[in-house]
Amino acid sequence: MRNLAGQFRALMTAAAIGFAAAPAAHAADAAIPATPEAGSFKIGIEPWLGYGQWHVAEAKGLFKASGLSDVQIVNFAEDKDINAALASGQLDAANIATHTAMGMVAAGLPVKIVLLLDVSMTADAIIAGKDIASIADLKGKQVAFEEGTTSDILLKYALAKNGMSIADVQPVPMPAADAGSALIAARVPVAVTYEPYLTTAMAQNKDVKLLFTAGEDPGLISDVLVVRDEVIKSRPGQVLAMIKTWDAALKDYNADTAGGRAIISKAVGSSVEDLNTAFDGVRYYSLAENKDALTGEFSTKTFADVEAAAKNAGLLQADVTPEQMIDPAFVKAAQ
């Protein structure tokens, strides 16, 4: 979810050759069955807590409770691998960042966003020491961040919002895991990173503060569930059941947050203690919220903001539209 591999555009273009002429599939074209179709459903996932409700669902038997007999959660370590698996048809659906979904569709891969999973509020941020008080103060300063990632998007969005561009700062490219350390070591005055690195940096130096967070534009850094058009057309009942399962898992998580966080932390390979601040900085989206978002602000405002930020960061080279990418029929149909 955090990194967009350099091979992404070429990979998607090659994978899309066989799909380019495929007609768009929309669940609204036919009634969505309340009972899911038989057979397996394969969903790709990476170790990011924003996708955590699927782990809750698996641990609590919620897939079967929704009528899904064989959901296979396939784990990936890198974006390029999950992208390739989805493009080649090895997966039915995948959990990916919104800007990554845009890149897929721009490259010709027929997938649709059917669910908004989470948005980063304070889990992605620009941090600075006591001598930096505003984004305007970044002019001429060194800024550590990982290029081609959500950090890249956040920095360029913050600069643009304040009438500036990347040309107004001195980029210092480095992994997000190292950016906070560089700030603490006084090698740079500003860093862009995400949790748990944000909390680690602020714990080591009380002068380090959040200067600008993803929550300034909720959804700018967000994750979605995308499903291949062929699956939407041939197995809409399974897609609907998956959405119902996410909502059931989120309700379980809200009722027992400590237990849910323990399940998710174990699944992503970290301790609850290391991830608590990250959990606090992420907002999960329920079914009810999706019913508003996918036909409301996410579609009308957030989508355009993400598209513009992704283009500005050089991660998206072609226009995409909400109508082309978002299929709200499943959240509308879910009860």
Side-chain angles (χ1 to χ4, degrees), residues 235-278:
R235 287 176 276 148
Q238 286 188 346
V239 178
L240 178 62
M242 287 293 290
I243 287 174
K244 290 180 177 179
T245 301
W246 172 272
D247 195 55
L250 182 53
K251 288 175 180 174
D252 189 287
Y253 173 88
N254 289 335
D256 178 20
T257 301
R261 287 186 176 187
I263 291 169
I264 296 168
S265 297
K266 181 180 179 181
V268 302
S270 296
S271 69
V272 175
E273 292 73 25
D274 287 342
L275 290 179
N276 264 331
T277 52

Side-chain angles (χ1 to χ4, degrees), residues 282-295:
V282 171
R283 176 186 172 189
Y284 292 111
Y285 268 67
S286 68
L287 173 60
E289 289 169 323
N290 264 273
K291 288 184 178 184
D292 290 332
L294 292 192
T295 56

Side-chain angles (χ1 to χ4, degrees), residues 40-47 51 54-55 58 63 71-78 81-82 85-86 90-95:
S40 65
F41 191 94
K42 295 181 180 179
I43 182 171
I45 200 167
E46 290 184 78
Y51 310 143
W54 299 126
H55 298 303
E58 186 175 44
F63 290 119
V71 173
Q72 299 176 27
I73 297 178
V74 186
N75 293 291
F76 295 86
E78 297 183 49
D81 296 328
I82 195 171
L86 185 65
Q90 296 175 49
L91 296 173
D92 299 311
N95 302 272

Side-chain angles (χ1 to χ4, degrees), residues 69 78 98 119 144-145 158 210 248 256 302:
S69 60
E78 297 183 49
T98 301
V119 303
F145 68 101
L210 297 177
D256 178 20
T302 305

Side-chain angles (χ1 to χ4, degrees), residues 118-136:
D118 69 272
V119 303
S120 176
M121 299 299 288
T122 58
D124 291 76
I126 301 172
I127 53 176
K130 61 182 178 180
D131 295 331
I132 305 291
S134 68
I135 294 298

Side-chain angles (χ1 to χ4, degrees), residues 74-225:
V74 186
N75 293 291
F76 295 86
E78 297 183 49
D79 281 11
K80 65 181 178 65
D81 296 328
I82 195 171
N83 295 343
L86 185 65
S88 63
Q90 296 175 49
L91 296 173
D92 299 311
N95 302 272
I96 57 178
T98 301
H99 71 271
T100 304
M102 290 178 174
M104 287 182 170
V105 172
L109 186 65
V111 296
K112 293 289 185 298
I113 293 171
V114 299
L115 192 68
L116 173 60
L117 303 172
D118 69 272
V119 303
S120 176
M121 299 299 288
T122 58
D124 291 76
I126 301 172
I127 53 176
K130 61 182 178 180
D131 295 331
I132 305 291
S134 68
I135 294 298
D137 291 341
L138 300 189
K139 191 171 181 64
K141 301 292 195 303
Q142 290 184 312
V143 182
F145 68 101
E146 187 171 354
E147 295 179 309
T149 69
T150 51
S151 296
D152 196 336
I153 284 180
L154 185 61
L155 173 61
K156 289 173 180 173
Y157 176 83
L159 291 170
K161 191 172 182 179
N162 286 270
M164 301 165 66
S165 74
I166 196 67
D168 291 309
V169 302
Q170 297 181 46
V172 182
M174 67 175 66
D178 300 330
S181 299
L183 173 61
I184 296 302
R187 296 199 301 271
V188 295
V190 184
V192 191
T193 187
Y194 44 81
E195 293 288 10
Y197 311 120
L198 292 170
T199 295
T200 299
M202 291 186 287
Q204 291 179 8
N205 186 336
K206 62 180 178 59
D207 290 328
V208 172
K209 60 185 176 298
L210 297 177
L211 190 67
F212 191 95
T213 71
E216 296 280 344
D217 187 353
L220 181 71
I221 308 299
S222 55
D223 296 289
V224 292
L225 177 66

